[in-house]
Amino acid sequence: MPTLILVRHGRSTANTAGLLAGWTPGVALDERGAQQAAALPGRLAALPLSEVVTSPLQRCQETVQPLLDARPELRAHTDERIGEAHYGDWSGRKLAELRDEPLMEVVQAHPSAAAFPGGESMRAMQTRAAEAVREWNARVERDHGSDAVYLMCSHGDIIKSLVADALGLHLDLFQRISVEPCSITAIRYTRLRPFLVRLGDTGDLASLAPREEPPSGDAPVGGGAGAP
């Protein structure tokens, strides 16, 4: 079965503003995010990509555009099932404000029980994304062979949930996974089991450097803004 390259979108204007974007329209890459996207073709140059699948949201579309420009033979397919979690009434709100919401404790400690007001549950988010991957695996294998490599550009919580699915982790443990903006995660699928072969690879170690403010023990909902 194919190898899936998961790319989280580059850093967005919502990331730097500390907002939970969700499906809010008009959220673009910021200057650093555009630089991250521009570097993506070089980082992926050695991979014979057969397909590109992307979330319909602007920040993902902008992230894959330099890759599509560099490889005109590739065409991007849009799949809403790998779009961001539907955060409902939380969409567009400041993450600092959301920390005081009682639901945030559930999102952190027991996400399989979390459902966003006016939105979807985290279980539904993971289910739709995993179903999309399984369908694309079959399609890519049918059209390009079992050793094909393809790319999906998606969002932090979606990618974390797909990693948990691949590792057989309960969704309640997925907050232990971290993926930076424009990081690359690779999962090789086989008939018997998936293999996680890269996780959150940004090509540098900047995110490991000490920060002025100690990192919180909470996982950043939506994925966070990455290294400063």
Side-chain angles (χ1 to χ4, degrees):
M1 296 178 70
T3 296
L4 169 60
I5 307 299
L6 287 162
V7 177
R8 185 184 167 200
H9 62 78
R11 196 174 73 176
S12 73
T13 53
N15 293 145
T16 46
L19 300 176
L20 186 62
W23 285 70
T24 305
V27 176
L29 298 182
D30 68 5
E31 183 177 357
R32 180 171 180 182
Q35 293 170 350
Q36 292 170 332
L40 198 58
R43 294 171 65 198
L44 298 170
L47 298 181
L49 298 174
S50 58
E51 302 280 1
V52 172
V53 187
T54 180
S55 157
L57 295 173
Q58 180 178 340
R59 53 198 182 273
C60 286
Q61 302 276 336
E62 290 179 352
T63 298
V64 299
Q65 193 56 54
L67 177 65
L68 298 174
D69 291 342
R71 301 200 194 187
E73 74 280 5
L74 288 174
R75 181 173 64 89
H77 307 271
T78 298
D79 193 325
E80 291 196 358
R81 294 173 297 176
I82 61 167
E84 181 63 283
H86 291 278
Y87 296 118
D89 297 343
W90 280 23
S91 299
R93 291 182 60 187
K94 285 191 172 293
L95 288 164
E97 298 173 357
L98 293 170
R99 291 193 188 103
D100 297 328
E101 294 280 353
L103 178 61
M104 182 60 84
E105 186 178 4
V106 182
V107 170
Q108 293 293 326
H110 190 19
S112 66
F116 297 101
E120 70 179 335
S121 69
M122 300 197 90
R123 292 193 316 277
M125 173 199 76
Q126 182 186 43
T127 297
R128 63 173 164 86
E131 287 178 350
V133 167
R134 283 163 173 74
E135 288 183 19
W136 277 101
N137 282 347
R139 177 173 172 175
V140 169
E141 182 174 17
R142 180 197 68 205
D143 294 345
H144 303 282
S146 59
D147 59 348
V149 181
Y150 75 107
L151 180 146
M152 280 186 170
C153 184
S154 188
H155 306 265
D157 282 349
I158 296 290
I159 294 173
K160 288 163 55 177
S161 75
L162 290 171
V163 170
D165 175 75
L167 292 177
L169 290 178
H170 196 283
L171 185 61
D172 286 347
L173 301 178
F174 100 125
Q175 298 290 28
R176 302 182 183 194
I177 299 166
S178 176
V179 291
E180 296 260 321
C182 223
S183 64
I184 292 174
T185 294
I187 302 171
R188 185 172 70 247
Y189 289 87
T190 73
R191 185 173 62 85
L192 295 180
R193 64 182 61 85
F195 292 89
L196 179 66
V197 292
R198 291 288 189 280
L199 175 61
D201 189 342
T202 61
D204 65 59
L205 300 178
S207 64
L208 302 180
R211 305 191 184 184
E212 292 183 8
E213 294 185 10
S216 165
D218 287 344
V221 180

